[in-house]
């Protein structure tokens, strides 16, 4: 198993190129199940989750040629319709194949994803919406068994909660359904927007893209002709490196980034004292003199993302004053707190709210990554902790950050990947 050895640095300097978004790539790869042609996808991040989904599709009979940041997925030879436990247990987003496989083949089995470190993460809303579209669903021996005896039919779906992969799943199912599906309370995340835009460009009429009400005009089983496209930049990776700039009071420039997707993150960093120069697809964060405390509530896009909560919590340990961070999406997403406390952070947890007393001098030690974003919070803390920090179990980090240690080394961080 690999771990990261990190020493603190006076400051960082230079340019970091942002990779394609993991959370956009996953539904876009799953979408290739709806295509009659080979789907060319560019600007994919080199992360384990992408390889896992491509392996899942290969196991089902698709061919996936992955070279650098490009993949060509051909699902015309896909014949298996069962996503087995061995893959789904390593990546919950495997559930994204349910909608498209069911829509194309009329049946699908997917292992139940179960809970994960940050919460229970049910998929009841995905299943309820598919049932409304005419699917018969049974849960048997840990598997979701879905069938559509009469094909999927468009209908009116109202999500009780905003669900990102739930919206993506239903949009993909609706793309091949008969008639019009409307989704009220749809996710507006940029990753869902890109999925809708690519489907729309492939002949599936979708209205309301980027709003909470989507209307998808299904093709009644006709497979799609999907043209080559490039995945949007990863806003969470970008946000994490902006936090690296803020916590080390450094000047860093991010390239291949979409500033529009980072509104809430940039605004909170401004409240904390950072200043920016922003162009169409670059963001430069300038060194701040002092880090100010902040109040954050995680919510759905375009509000502050839960996927940036852990990184801001690490940053708040270096603010002069008391920060309050409330997590509203996932019930157990504070696993990084106890590790940060071991480094000397003064954090009090009360239910879904963390109170961070800054500024605390952090001290390097051995810490354990517990989930993807928690891992990057520990890396950020290590950049300013005295002495040496060893971040263990970084397989979490490798699921979603493309070449993290290389990107940080290139801007002057003292970080090495070693074997346990
Ligand atoms: C996606 C992202 C993840 C991000 C999250 C919230 C991907 C691959 N993952 O996860 O990085 O942290 O959005 O922005 O894109 N819920 C239900 N029933 C359901 C579905 C969801 O109760 O059927 C609840 C969840 O428990 C959670 C909330 O709805 O409290 C939002 O979850 P959801 O948007 O579905 O998260 P994911 O799509 O799994």
């Amino acid at each position: 198993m690999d771990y990261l050895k990190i020493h603190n640095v006076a400051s960082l300097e230079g340019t970091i190129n942002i990779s394609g978004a993991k959370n956009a790539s996953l539904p876009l790869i799953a979408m290739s199940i709806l295509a009659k042609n080979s789907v060319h996808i560019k600007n994919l991040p080199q992360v384990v989750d992408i390889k896992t989904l491509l392996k899942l599709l290969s196991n089902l009979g698709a061919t996936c040629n992955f070279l650098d940041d490009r993949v060509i997925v051909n699902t015309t030879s896909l014949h298996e319709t069962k996503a087995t436990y061995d893959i789904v247990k390593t990546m919950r987003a495997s559930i994204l194949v349910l909608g498209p496989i069911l829509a194309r083949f009329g049946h699908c089995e997917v292992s139940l994803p179960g809970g994960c470190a940050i919460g229970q993460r049910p998929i009841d809303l995905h299943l309820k919406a598919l049932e409304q579209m005419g699917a018969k669903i049974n849960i048997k021996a840990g598997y979701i068994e879905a069938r559509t005896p009469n094909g999927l039919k468009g209908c009116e779906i109202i999500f009780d909660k905003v669900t990102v992969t739930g919206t993506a799943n239903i949009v993909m199912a609706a793309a091949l359904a008969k008639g019009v599906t409307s989704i009220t309370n749809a996710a507006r995340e940029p990753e869902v927007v890109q999925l809708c835009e690519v489907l729309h460009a492939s002949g599936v009429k979708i209205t309301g893209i980027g709003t909470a009400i989507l209307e998808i005009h299904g093709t009644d089983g006709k497979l799609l002709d999907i043209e080559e496209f490039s995945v949007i930049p990863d806003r969470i990776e970008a946000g994490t490196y902006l936090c690296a700039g803020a916590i080390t009071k450094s000047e860093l420039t991010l390239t291949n980034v979409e500033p529009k997707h980072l509104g809430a993150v940039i605004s909170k960093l401004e409240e904390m004292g950072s200043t920016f120069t922003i162009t169409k697809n670059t963001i430069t964060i300038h060194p701040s003199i002092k880090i100010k405390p902040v109040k954050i509530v995680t919510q759905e896009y375009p509000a502050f993302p839960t996927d940036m909560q852990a990184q801001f919590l690490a940053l708040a340990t270096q603010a002069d004053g008391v920060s309050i961070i409330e997590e509203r999406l996932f019930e157990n997403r504070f696993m990084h707190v106890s590790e940060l406390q071991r480094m000397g952070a003064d954090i009090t947890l009360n239910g879904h709210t963390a109170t961070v007393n800054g500024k605390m001098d952090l001290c390097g030690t051995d810490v354990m990554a517990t989930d993807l974003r928690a891992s990057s919070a520990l890396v950020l803390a290590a950049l300013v902790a005295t002495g040496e920090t060893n971040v263990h179990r970084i397989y979490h980090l490798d699921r979603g950050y493309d070449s993290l240690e290389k990107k940080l080394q290139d801007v002057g961080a003292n970080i090495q990947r070693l074997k346990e």
Side-chain angles (χ1 to χ4, degrees):
M1 221 187 285
D2 291 354
Y3 70 101
L4 292 175
K5 186 183 280 298
I6 304 168
H7 288 91
N8 68 343
V9 278
S11 67
L12 305 172
E13 194 183 354
T15 299
I16 298 178
N17 193 50
I18 299 303
S19 300
K22 168 183 89 73
N23 286 355
S25 306
L26 293 170
L28 290 165
I29 291 170
M31 179 199 64
S32 63
I33 296 168
L34 306 174
K36 63 178 178 209
N37 63 324
S38 291
V39 181
H40 293 229
I41 310 178
K42 296 190 294 182
N43 199 36
L44 284 171
Q46 300 273 357
V47 298
V48 171
D49 272 9
I50 301 300
K51 292 179 187 141
T52 304
L53 185 57
L54 292 173
K55 182 166 172 223
L56 168 56
L57 290 190
S58 302
N59 288 353
L60 300 179
T63 56
C64 306
N65 295 314
F66 192 22
L67 187 65
D68 299 328
D69 68 344
R70 286 167 172 253
V71 72
I72 302 174
V73 187
N74 188 314
T75 60
T76 50
S77 53
L78 197 147
H79 53 276
E80 283 288 334
T81 57
K82 182 170 179 176
T84 50
Y85 175 69
D86 53 330
I87 292 226
V88 180
K89 72 167 192 235
T90 65
M91 189 184 67
R92 310 188 78 264
S94 307
I95 193 68
L96 283 164
V97 301
L98 176 62
I101 293 184
L102 183 64
R104 176 162 159 193
F105 295 97
H107 54 89
C108 181
E109 280 176 73
V110 179
S111 171
L112 275 170
C116 82
I118 64 172
Q120 283 192 351
R121 305 187 75 175
I123 47 149
D124 55 315
L125 302 175
H126 304 230
L127 303 186
K128 188 176 157 204
L130 288 172
E131 280 177 334
Q132 280 180 264
M133 297 177 78
K136 302 273 174 251
I137 293 180
N138 281 313
I139 306 291
K140 204 168 140 194
Y143 277 80
I144 305 154
E145 293 178 354
R147 295 194 170 271
T148 52
N150 305 307
L152 289 174
K153 288 197 184 59
C155 65
E156 204 183 309
I157 288 158
I158 303 175
F159 278 130
D160 289 342
K161 274 189 187 174
V162 176
T163 161
V164 175
T165 48
T167 304
N169 234 336
I170 301 311
V171 165
M172 289 187 278
L176 293 198
K178 193 182 175 71
V180 179
T181 304
S182 70
I183 306 178
T184 300
N185 208 18
R188 290 179 288 159
E189 270 67 4
E191 296 76 18
V192 173
V193 168
Q194 183 171 32
L195 173 71
C196 291
E197 282 171 346
V198 174
L199 284 170
H200 188 73
S202 310
V204 181
K205 185 181 166 201
I206 304 182
T207 60
I209 296 177
T211 75
I213 302 180
L214 293 170
E215 221 174 59
I216 304 112
H217 297 247
T219 64
D220 195 8
K222 206 169 128 230
L223 294 180
L224 311 177
D225 200 349
I226 299 175
E227 284 196 1
E228 179 178 291
F229 61 88
S230 195
V231 176
I232 56 170
D234 196 312
R235 63 193 165 101
I236 306 302
E237 188 198 19
T240 303
Y241 291 126
L242 291 178
C243 285
I247 202 167
T248 57
K249 297 183 175 163
S250 304
E251 178 148 316
L252 286 181
T253 296
L254 309 186
T255 53
N256 184 32
V257 68
E258 178 49 88
K260 278 193 292 206
H261 295 165
L262 282 149
V265 167
I266 289 172
S267 148
K268 284 295 160 192
L269 286 171
E270 280 173 341
E271 276 180 42
M272 296 180 87
S274 292
T275 52
F276 296 90
T277 304
I278 296 175
T279 71
K280 189 166 172 277
N281 54 12
T282 71
I283 304 176
T284 300
I285 181 165
H286 302 293
S288 61
I289 298 155
K290 213 169 128 170
I291 303 174
K292 294 186 220 158
V294 71
K295 281 201 170 72
I296 289 176
V297 177
T298 66
Q299 274 169 300
E300 295 85 8
Y301 189 85
F304 188 89
T306 174
D307 285 354
M308 285 302 304
Q309 178 257 101
Q311 301 88 318
F312 269 76
L313 208 144
L315 177 57
T317 66
Q318 301 306 296
D320 288 313
V322 180
S323 297
I324 312 276
I325 301 183
E326 192 187 337
E327 171 57 53
R328 290 230 183 125
L329 270 89
F330 294 110
E331 67 273 19
N332 197 25
R333 203 170 198 176
F334 278 128
M335 305 272 282
H336 39 288
V337 166
S338 48
E339 297 302 291
L340 290 170
Q341 283 167 333
R342 295 186 54 252
M343 295 176 78
D346 180 355
I347 306 168
T348 313
L349 265 186
N350 186 2
H352 298 290
T353 304
T355 304
V356 188
N357 290 307
K359 174 187 184 224
M360 294 304 287
D361 291 329
L362 300 181
C363 190
T365 183
D366 286 281
V367 287
M368 211 164 67
T370 48
D371 69 68
L372 172 56
R373 307 303 169 184
S375 321
S376 58
L378 298 177
V379 171
L380 294 174
L383 291 173
V384 292
T386 54
E388 180 180 292
T389 305
N390 295 308
V391 183
H392 301 276
R393 300 204 180 168
I394 55 161
Y395 53 85
H396 290 293
L397 200 82
D398 293 336
R399 285 189 36 223
Y401 284 94
D402 185 351
S403 321
L404 174 122
E405 73 271 19
K406 164 96 180 51
K407 290 188 185 191
L408 283 174
Q409 278 162 3
D410 287 350
V411 292
N414 186 342
I415 176 169
Q416 280 174 286
R417 177 182 287 258
L418 298 167
K419 296 258 175 244
E420 298 280 6

